[in-house]
Amino acid sequence: MSIEDEVDRLTRLVGNLIYLSQAETGEVPLDISEFALDDLVTEVVHQVKTIAGNRYAINISEILPIQIQADRDKIKQILLNILGNAIQYTPEDGIIKIRLEKTGGFAVLYVEDNGPGIAKSDLAKLFDRFYRAKKSRTRTSGTGFGLGLSISQYIVQMHNGRIDVKSDIGKGTIFSMSLPIIQPVIEG
């Protein structure tokens, strides 16, 4: 790792710590707008495919058109974090599946990988700050600080949604993110 890479990594750490500190005091503003979540998911998947190259099969199995009101940049940050984690922990030639559907007034995004999985004992702590599951998932040097999922959970909660994870050792992991859908106005 070069000095420039380490400086970039430490800069991200400081930025994330500042963000979490602001979140605790309620000082994180949201830039709420209406947008098509399906378009954002497609955009992020395209970016991730470019970064991942041919090392992984990244497949959109189903994507429904869904409008939401949210902070687009912050939702994009979550998507990049979840897909980045899937790439980081999925072995080369692995498969990552993405699905976006509507369930009970919510847009639900699923990101499923066939990586090594996460131990049940680690699942409860996965969204804690600085927590990095070490037993079931191997890491490369220069990886994150264990803040991405904590920040993602906070952002989802700010949008009245939820983020969950299910995993089985040796079978892979499924992250799901639920966000409220804009309800159509019925006039009559």
Side-chain angles (χ1 to χ4, degrees), residues 92-155:
E92 286 201 23
D93 297 326
I95 299 170
I96 299 168
K97 297 177 189 171
I98 295 118
R99 187 171 84 243
L100 179 63
E101 60 186 43
K102 296 177 185 178
T103 304
F106 286 84
V108 184
L109 175 78
Y110 296 94
V111 176
E112 180 179 355
D113 67 54
N114 66 342
I118 303 168
K120 297 239 183 276
S121 61
D122 289 326
L123 288 176
K125 302 174 197 168
L126 206 58
F127 294 98
D128 293 352
R129 291 182 196 174
F130 300 109
Y131 188 77
R132 292 169 42 169
K134 297 175 184 150
K135 296 174 188 164
S136 61
R137 293 162 78 94
T138 58
R139 294 188 154 267
T140 58
S141 63
T143 58
F145 293 98
L147 292 172
L149 289 175
S150 179
I151 290 171
S152 294
Q153 182 181 49
Y154 176 77
I155 293 170

Side-chain angles (χ1 to χ4, degrees), residues 1 35 37-38 59 120 139 144 147 156-157 168 181 186:
M1 174 180 287
F35 63 93
L37 181 58
D38 51 300
N59 301 323
K120 297 239 183 276
R139 294 188 154 267
L147 292 172
V156 169
Q157 289 172 345
D168 290 311
I181 295 175
I186 300 173

